[in-house]
Amino acid sequence: MIRIKQRGSINQDNDYKMNDANSRLGEQWPNGGGYGGRIWVNRGEKISSAYDLVEQTHYLYVRVVKAKDLPHNGVTGSCDPYVEVKLGNYKGRTKHFENKRNPEWDQVFAFSKDRMQASILEVFLKERETVGRDDYIGRVVFDLNEVPTRVPPDSPLAPQWYRLEDRRGQGKVMGEVMLAVWMGTQADEAFPEAWHTETAFVQGEGLFSIRSKVYMTPKLWYLRVNVIEAQDVIPNDRSRAPELLVKVQVGNQVLRTKISPTNIMNPLWNEDLVFVVAEPFEEQLVLTVEDHIHPTKDDVLGKIMLPVNVFEKRLDHRPVHSRWFNLEKFGFGVFEADRRMEQKFSSRVHLRVCLEGGYHVLDESTMYVSDTRPTARQLWKPPVGILEVGILGAQGILPMKTKDGRGTTDAYCVAKYGQKWVRTRTILNSFAPKWNEQYTWEVYDPCTVITLGVFDNCHLGGSEKGNVHSSARDSRIGKVRIRLSTLESHRVYANSYPLLVLHPGGLKKMGELQLAIRFTSLSLANMIYMYGHPLLPKMHYLHPFTVNQIDSLRFQAMNIVAARLGRAEPPLRKEVVEYMLDVDSHLWSMRKSKANFFRIMSILSGTISISRWFGDVCHWKNPITSVLVHILFLILIWYPELILPTMFLYMFFIGLWNYRFRPRNPPHMDIKLSWAEAVHPDELDEEFDTFPTSRPHEIVRMRYDRLRSVAGRIQTVVGDIATQGERFQALLNWRDPRATSLFIMFCLSAAVLLYVTPFRVVALVAGLYTLRHPKLRTKLPAVPSNFFKRLPSRADGLL
């Protein structure tokens, strides 16, 4: 049973804190560990590093390439061979071929050294029989003590031909098999595609869903369609003034222009419609000119279909050439006479269409962006660093499903940074999986975030259970975000991150994810330059999108990425992609609203503390402090050129002092900051509600009333802010003639006084008046405050 932490108990233990991972990283690797033992390999444009951020795991690799000259079956006259690799109690087998004497498999088997139960490796070549047991053809036996060891980046071991022996090993039989056998680690190139001993009980299509894979986000473009005008548009109903608009559809994305203000045959719009498309371009642009007859009915007057790949790709803000396109009459041209008439007379539409290469297509939340490069590769800058992540394993994973009457979890980890997604192999039936896989990314901006999520694989049924598991969804176990700018260069961070998930029943700790992370800076000059460079490409600032456009385009981009990655093999499923990209981050949540409110209060707390300290100085709560402040004030008045240097020097010493208390580890999910430790059950139920709501009317009415009460308080605060602003305007707009007269006379007197009086004297008098002793003060409000509060506002005109 999952235990939910209450607020009182959370503060008493360290279950939700980040801990150090007790891992021995790089100690057994040939090149050593840490920064000093790292080796950089430059292979063209790709940069790779030593495999030293994970614990070394040894495997026995067996590559079965092919066989030749196999004998025919004495009964059937055919040969249906397959290979079985046996090490102790573990058996792996290739697929079988029908009636083929020279089969080719090229399949790799990996046996964990920790689970080896024998000293010999047996490779059997058998023939599949439809009735009875399979026929034995021959075998090859290897002594594990004689198996060579391969260490990357050594070249792969060359396979060799081996003569088959009989069952007793006393003589050779007809046929040969080509094999390669070696000892290696998880750094071997054959590791991701190999059959593993952990997957011995997974058969059929389920094998493809447990392998580690690297995915690439499809190249996304913004497609900008500038609908300028149309000519010779003839409405079907000429008894009414037409209300003409243009509808453009690209895939599942549909956008419409406004109704043309000129109700004539030559309507004018000049509107931009922006879509998201992905390479390779599979969709077509479908444009229709329609007459808005009724709120529920539009009459199509013309249509055109254009492939996306014919449009020009734009890299900067310079406009592309516009073009006229002939419209096909909707429902016209069935008969030959109609087609001839359509060729003589046709409506036209004027478009300016281009693929925007100067923008970065956002497919993730702007708060956790992992890539800011523009779409066009020509505009990319060189990388400023290398990010290496070692996914070590997890601990304390809770059971996610039930199998054979007991709880089990088949966990895998997904990491996303930039355009590269990685997925570790699935560790079956383990609450403490060990992946020990390392991946590398090129970093183009240090102010980006890498996201790692752990999931439970629910698609292991294979082909015989495909119908049962087709609707299953991989369950989320937890997620970790790490901002690269919080990492020191060349340092290895080995930590155990709590996997926290908010469920309708409350906050749950699902386990801990163990990671080793290292960020390496390639150029200090480029790194410093990036901090003064805009976060997004310049097109986002020259021709910015509206907030609504950004949200809509991001949603469309996420759908395209989820659809494309879901078509890979094995697929990266939609629920995984949506969870990693925070697809629901924009939805309403009372808990998030509270968290953001207290974040603002935390920021303002410093200003509030300074104002309280200054108030104590003015009221002489501590006479020594007040005297020192007076002395400092007099020095700054006498030497005003010291004001700015003093301020910056003070901030320098504050930063230097805070260096002692700097964070030693990257930040992680904070339950107090998220306001997840004391959230009300009804607020959680509201947060997990669907959109539109699926709750009963009584609950929806209660939540609506609660939202009205909160909005009423916000409305009052906003009204007070507006009132203060309107009072400032009332100083000079003669809404109150007497008040404005007094104010402008005061301004004239102040101008004359400040002109004849040195500024130091004015500042000295004002400062001493502000810092005066409490005996010279009164509890009544000051005259300026009284005057300001008497000014009128426009609140009198509100209904």
Side-chain angles (χ1 to χ4, degrees):
M1 181 176 180
I2 299 176
R3 181 168 58 94
I4 303 175
K5 296 287 183 179
Q6 301 299 325
R7 183 165 188 166
S9 61
I10 289 177
N11 297 329
Q12 298 176 3
D13 55 38
N14 297 323
D15 285 351
Y16 295 88
K17 293 184 179 180
M18 187 174 63
N19 302 312
D20 292 334
N22 297 322
S23 302
R24 301 172 62 186
L25 305 180
E27 293 185 2
Q28 302 175 1
W29 294 94
N31 296 323
Y35 176 59
R38 208 161 65 251
I39 291 180
W40 293 101
V41 182
N42 191 351
R43 299 174 180 173
E45 295 183 354
K46 299 295 182 182
I47 300 177
S48 60
S49 66
Y51 212 85
D52 61 347
L53 290 184
V54 293
E55 299 177 5
Q56 190 180 39
T57 306
H58 292 276
Y59 289 89
L60 172 66
Y61 290 96
V62 181
R63 180 183 294 276
V64 181
V65 183
K66 56 185 176 180
K68 66 178 181 179
D69 300 334
L70 300 181
H72 289 291
N73 188 296
V75 178
T76 62
S78 63
C79 182
D80 305 331
Y82 69 92
V83 173
E84 181 181 272
V85 182
K86 181 181 179 183
L87 180 64
N89 294 329
Y90 292 102
K91 295 181 181 180
R93 56 180 295 178
T94 66
K95 63 180 180 180
H96 81 284
F97 290 96
E98 295 185 0
N99 195 20
K100 197 168 186 179
R101 295 185 60 199
N102 302 309
E104 295 185 8
W105 294 282
D106 196 17
Q107 187 172 345
V108 180
F109 299 84
F111 298 88
S112 176
K113 185 177 180 181
D114 297 336
R115 301 186 180 185
M116 287 185 182
Q117 302 171 345
S119 59
I120 61 171
L121 170 71
E122 297 177 284
V123 180
F124 296 95
L125 207 152
K126 298 183 179 181
E127 183 183 10
R128 183 174 181 179
E129 286 286 344
T130 56
V131 180
R133 63 180 183 178
D134 297 346
D135 285 346
Y136 175 89
I137 298 179
R139 71 168 185 171
V140 179
V141 180
F142 294 89
D143 185 354
L144 297 186
N145 295 323
E146 303 297 329
V147 173
T149 300
R150 174 179 176 261
V151 179
D154 292 349
S155 299
L157 194 67
Q160 300 180 23
W161 286 105
Y162 293 89
R163 289 291 302 274
L164 298 176
E165 301 177 351
D166 59 13
R167 190 183 302 270
R168 298 180 181 179
Q170 297 179 354
K172 303 295 183 181
V173 297
M174 184 178 179
E176 294 180 78
V177 60
M178 180 178 282
L179 303 171
V181 182
W182 72 94
M183 292 295 299
T185 64
Q186 72 268 38
D188 201 291
E189 293 87 349
F191 180 79
E193 298 293 337
W195 175 96
H196 293 271
T197 52
E198 298 92 342
T199 64
F201 304 102
V202 180
Q203 301 294 334
E205 298 296 330
L207 284 172
F208 295 102
S209 65
I210 62 177
R211 292 175 176 171
S212 58
K213 281 290 182 180
V214 176
Y215 306 84
M216 296 302 296
T217 299
K219 191 175 184 179
L220 301 176
W221 295 77
Y222 284 139
L223 175 66
R224 187 187 295 271
V225 182
N226 179 222
V227 183
I228 303 174
E229 58 181 333
Q231 286 184 353
D232 302 328
V233 179
I234 302 176
N236 295 329
D237 185 4
R238 302 187 183 183
S239 62
R240 50 178 289 278
E243 299 180 5
L244 301 178
L245 58 89
V246 173
K247 183 179 77 173
V248 183
Q249 180 173 356
V250 179
N252 296 326
Q253 308 170 63
V254 180
L255 294 177
R256 292 176 172 85
T257 65
K258 298 178 181 178
I259 296 176
S260 174
T262 56
N263 298 326
I264 56 177
M265 295 175 58
N266 301 322
L268 178 66
W269 295 282
N270 197 22
E271 289 188 34
D272 279 352
L273 306 178
V274 185
F275 303 86
V276 179
V277 293
E279 292 186 359
F281 302 122
E282 300 175 349
E283 300 87 1
Q284 284 193 327
L285 185 147
V286 181
L287 183 145
T288 56
V289 178
E290 302 180 357
D291 185 7
H292 187 64
I293 299 176
H294 190 268
T296 59
K297 181 180 179 182
D298 293 326
D299 191 8
V300 179
L301 305 180
K303 179 180 180 180
I304 186 173
M305 300 179 63
L306 300 169
V308 176
N309 55 8
V310 301
F311 301 125
E312 182 179 347
K313 295 179 179 179
R314 185 172 73 163
L315 304 183
D316 52 25
H317 62 281
R318 287 175 291 186
V320 298
H321 296 291
S322 60
R323 295 175 58 187
W324 286 94
F325 296 92
N326 292 332
L327 294 173
E328 298 177 3
K329 183 68 175 177
F330 187 74
F332 197 77
V334 178
F335 300 101
E336 189 64 30
D338 294 338
R339 293 179 180 175
R340 288 196 300 269
M341 183 175 294
E342 186 179 14
Q343 293 174 358
K344 295 179 181 179
F345 177 83
S346 175
S347 302
R348 300 194 303 168
V349 62
H350 193 193
L351 303 176
R352 181 180 287 110
V353 189
C354 65
L355 292 163
E356 297 281 9
Y359 289 89
H360 170 70
V361 181
L362 292 168
D363 60 346
E364 52 197 344
S365 175
T366 53
M367 302 302 298
Y368 321 119
V369 65
S370 64
D371 189 13
T372 60
R373 290 171 293 171
T375 299
R377 195 178 183 91
Q378 303 94 299
L379 303 178
W380 290 6
K381 304 293 183 182
V384 298
I386 297 294
L387 174 66
E388 301 165 272
V389 178
I391 305 176
L392 304 177
Q395 287 184 343
I397 299 294
L398 299 180
M400 301 300 296
K401 56 180 177 284
T402 303
K403 182 179 180 181
D404 298 331
R406 60 187 182 89
T408 182
T409 299
D410 306 316
Y412 66 92
C413 182
V414 175
K416 195 267 181 187
Y417 182 75
Q419 298 180 353
K420 180 179 176 181
W421 299 65
V422 299
R423 168 178 173 160
T424 67
R425 69 191 189 280
T426 300
I427 304 299
L428 304 180
N429 194 21
S430 174
F431 300 133
K434 294 293 184 182
W435 293 293
N436 282 312
E437 299 182 22
Q438 182 172 334
Y439 299 94
T440 304
W441 287 267
E442 293 178 342
V443 178
Y444 293 86
D445 192 329
C447 302
T448 47
V449 177
I450 181 174
T451 304
L452 302 101
V454 182
F455 301 88
D456 176 47
N457 196 332
C458 298
H459 297 82
L460 302 178
S463 58
E464 69 278 7
K465 299 181 182 180
N467 295 331
V468 177
H469 293 264
S470 59
S471 61
R473 294 170 58 89
D474 288 354
S475 303
R476 57 183 68 171
I477 299 178
K479 181 167 56 178
V480 174
R481 299 190 196 98
I482 300 173
R483 186 171 293 274
L484 271 58
S485 58
T486 63
L487 305 177
E488 298 178 11
S489 297
H490 312 300
R491 176 185 169 186
V492 176
Y493 293 85
N495 300 104
S496 182
Y497 297 82
L499 296 172
L500 306 177
V501 175
L502 202 61
H503 290 277
L507 180 68
K508 298 177 183 178
K509 180 181 178 182
M510 311 299 292
E512 294 183 357
L513 177 63
Q514 296 176 334
L515 301 173
I517 302 174
R518 177 172 57 216
F519 173 64
T520 304
S521 174
L522 298 180
S523 172
L524 181 60
N526 289 340
M527 187 76 67
I528 296 175
Y529 168 77
M530 290 303 300
Y531 275 89
H533 194 266
L535 183 63
L536 295 173
K538 64 179 182 180
M539 284 295 292
H540 287 268
Y541 307 97
L542 298 178
H543 294 283
F545 295 119
T546 64
V547 175
N548 291 336
Q549 276 184 310
I550 292 176
D551 291 339
S552 175
L553 293 173
R554 173 177 171 257
F555 180 74
Q556 298 299 337
M558 286 191 296
N559 287 336
I560 293 175
V561 171
R564 291 291 180 93
L565 295 181
R567 289 159 49 182
E569 186 61 44
L572 199 59
R573 303 192 178 274
K574 182 178 181 180
E575 61 270 19
V576 175
V577 176
E578 290 181 347
Y579 182 58
M580 297 290 289
L581 295 179
D582 293 286
V583 68
D584 55 353
S585 61
H586 64 288
L587 297 180
W588 161 258
S589 168
M590 181 67 75
R591 176 188 61 84
K592 292 181 181 178
S593 301
K594 290 180 179 179
N596 290 329
F597 173 77
F598 283 102
R599 286 173 61 196
I600 295 175
M601 296 305 298
S602 176
I603 294 173
L604 297 178
S605 62
T607 304
I608 296 173
S609 299
I610 293 175
S611 64
R612 288 177 179 175
W613 172 83
F614 186 73
D616 293 340
V617 170
C618 293
H619 290 82
W620 291 71
K621 294 292 184 65
N622 189 337
I624 298 178
T625 304
S626 299
V627 171
L628 292 176
V629 170
H630 278 75
I631 295 174
L632 177 62
F633 173 71
L634 294 175
I635 294 175
L636 296 179
I637 289 296
W638 193 256
Y639 302 101
E641 64 273 9
L642 296 179
I643 295 177
L644 291 179
T646 301
M647 291 176 56
F648 286 107
L649 188 63
Y650 180 65
M651 288 188 288
F652 169 77
F653 282 116
I654 291 178
L656 206 61
W657 176 263
N658 289 338
Y659 180 78
R660 300 172 54 196
F661 313 103
R662 68 189 187 280
R664 301 293 181 176
N665 294 311
H668 64 291
M669 300 294 182
D670 192 332
I671 58 173
K672 293 184 179 180
L673 181 66
S674 305
W675 206 251
E677 52 181 347
V679 60
H680 193 274
D682 182 69
E683 295 177 1
L684 275 179
D685 183 70
E686 181 183 20
E687 183 172 344
F688 285 93
D689 190 9
T690 57
F691 188 85
T693 182
S694 58
R695 298 298 186 263
H697 296 295
E698 296 77 10
I699 297 179
V700 175
R701 185 181 297 110
M702 181 269 294
R703 291 173 180 171
Y704 175 67
D705 292 339
R706 180 179 61 194
L707 188 60
R708 288 177 63 191
S709 64
V710 174
R713 292 192 289 269
I714 297 175
Q715 172 184 285
T716 302
V717 174
V718 173
D720 292 340
I721 296 174
T723 297
Q724 306 306 320
E726 290 168 353
R727 284 174 176 169
F728 271 107
Q729 293 178 345
L731 289 171
L732 294 172
N733 65 5
W734 294 91
R735 191 174 183 85
D736 185 342
R738 286 173 292 275
T740 303
S741 301
L742 291 172
F743 181 71
I744 62 174
M745 293 305 298
F746 168 77
C747 291
L748 179 60
S749 303
V752 174
L753 181 63
L754 293 175
Y755 179 76
V756 300
T757 307
F759 179 75
R760 289 183 180 180
V761 176
V762 176
L764 179 63
V765 173
L768 293 178
Y769 177 79
T770 304
L771 298 172
R772 67 192 185 277
H773 197 273
K775 292 182 179 181
L776 303 177
R777 296 178 180 273
T778 178
K779 293 184 178 180
L780 296 179
V783 173
S785 176
N786 295 331
F787 179 81
F788 183 77
K789 290 180 179 178
R790 290 178 178 274
L791 293 173
S793 68
R794 301 181 64 185
D796 306 336
L798 291 177
L799 292 175

